[in-house]
Amino acid sequence: EAGVAQSPRYKIIEKRQSVAFWCNPISGHATLYWYQQILGQGPKLLIQFQNNGVVDDSQLPKDRFSAERLKGVDSTLKIQPAKLEDSAVYLCASSLDLLVGTDTQYFGPGTRLTVL
Amino acid sequence: QKEVEQNSGPLSVPEGAIASLNCTYSDRVSQSFFWYRQYSGKSPELIMSIYSNGDKEDGRFTAQLNKASQYVSLLIRDSQPSDSATYLCAVNKDTGRRALTFGSGTRLQVQP
């Protein structure tokens, strides 16, 4: 079974530029999460989807971050414009279904973003 | 107060010893508890989950949960150098949403 795929793996941009990340979850997984992990910290949830609907985006800085999962499969996360403090690893995770008991989240390899 | 607190370490143990990693959480309604292992430059990998008070064993790993004290721990027996990593404690507060709140992690170093 293929794992969670993410691209690109690395991205370097200058502040005020835009950037987009892509995630393809494990086949059949209804729930998709985007986390931000700043160096030395644990991952922090940005947004959670169930199929193509948003379950939780309370911690997403909506003035600059946006995310979508239009067909309930792939997802993109965009930052526009980027700030220095956005430098982090952006992790995508998926799980079978948030309505399923003992649901395990599987993480992708992450995208390391450096904002100069 | 952080929602999930862990000692950042590093925790250094000799090979073959027991490593004990601790985590406290602030929200009493928390339902599910997880330990993830994260190697440097890699993504988190689930190693244990625990949902009820007591101990849960899986191979060399034992998770312990005490909801009254709001405390979760992970014991690693017969520690190996390959266990050297950062261990993240994660808590799920809302079974309806299942998103995890992570601690900052404890770095474990197993000395050969």
Side-chain angles (χ1 to χ4, degrees):
Chain A
E1 177 183 78
V4 177
Q6 290 188 245
S7 68
R9 293 294 311 279
Y10 305 92
K11 190 73 177 179
I12 300 173
I13 61 172
E14 296 190 349
K15 60 183 179 183
R16 292 188 289 274
Q17 286 187 323
S18 302
V19 64
F21 312 128
W22 174 82
C23 172
N24 182 243
I26 293 173
S27 178
H29 280 196
T31 312
L32 184 146
Y33 311 79
W34 283 103
Y35 291 88
Q36 178 194 57
Q37 187 174 22
I38 293 172
L39 187 65
Q41 299 181 18
K44 184 186 83 171
L45 179 72
L46 293 176
I47 189 166
Q48 177 186 356
F49 293 94
Q50 173 73 359
N51 296 310
N52 60 350
V54 175
V55 175
D56 185 355
D57 63 357
S58 58
Q59 298 189 89
L60 186 73
K62 298 180 185 65
D63 58 333
R64 298 184 301 106
F65 286 65
S66 63
E68 60 183 13
R69 192 184 185 200
L70 292 177
K71 296 183 179 180
V73 182
D74 293 8
S75 176
T76 56
L77 176 69
K78 297 179 181 178
I79 307 175
Q80 182 179 13
K83 293 185 175 181
L84 296 177
E85 59 261 35
D86 298 332
S87 293
V89 176
Y90 291 84
L91 294 162
C92 179
S94 71
S95 63
L96 188 60
D97 192 311
L98 65 79
L99 299 178
V100 173
T102 63
D103 200 16
T104 297
Q105 293 186 29
Y106 298 89
F107 284 83
T111 296
R112 183 177 299 275
L113 173 67
T114 302
V115 182
L116 302 175
Chain B
Q1 181 186 14
K2 293 182 180 179
E3 293 185 79
V4 181
E5 296 214 49
Q6 298 180 254
N7 188 316
S8 62
L11 172 65
S12 185
V13 301
E15 184 175 355
I18 296 174
S20 178
L21 303 160
N22 304 314
C23 170
T24 58
Y25 59 95
S26 62
D27 196 331
R28 287 194 170 273
V29 303
S30 299
Q31 300 286 327
S32 312
F33 307 86
F34 304 85
W35 284 99
Y36 281 80
R37 177 175 61 199
Q38 188 172 30
Y39 292 112
S40 181
K42 302 296 185 182
S43 58
E45 172 193 15
L46 180 69
I47 53 173
M48 288 287 288
S49 59
I50 188 166
Y51 304 96
S52 55
N53 281 329
D55 295 358
K56 179 181 177 182
E57 187 175 318
D58 184 1
R60 294 186 298 113
F61 299 97
T62 298
Q64 300 174 317
L65 174 61
N66 183 327
K67 290 188 177 181
S69 299
Q70 295 175 239
Y71 177 91
V72 192
S73 66
L74 179 70
L75 301 178
I76 307 174
R77 289 181 299 281
D78 189 22
S79 296
Q80 301 297 310
S82 58
D83 295 325
S84 298
T86 295
Y87 288 80
L88 298 165
C89 174
V91 173
N92 174 253
K93 298 187 294 182
D94 181 345
T95 54
R97 295 185 175 183
R98 298 195 180 279
L100 299 175
T101 301
F102 284 86
S104 295
T106 298
R107 189 157 62 94
L108 173 66
Q109 294 178 340
V110 181
Q111 307 295 336

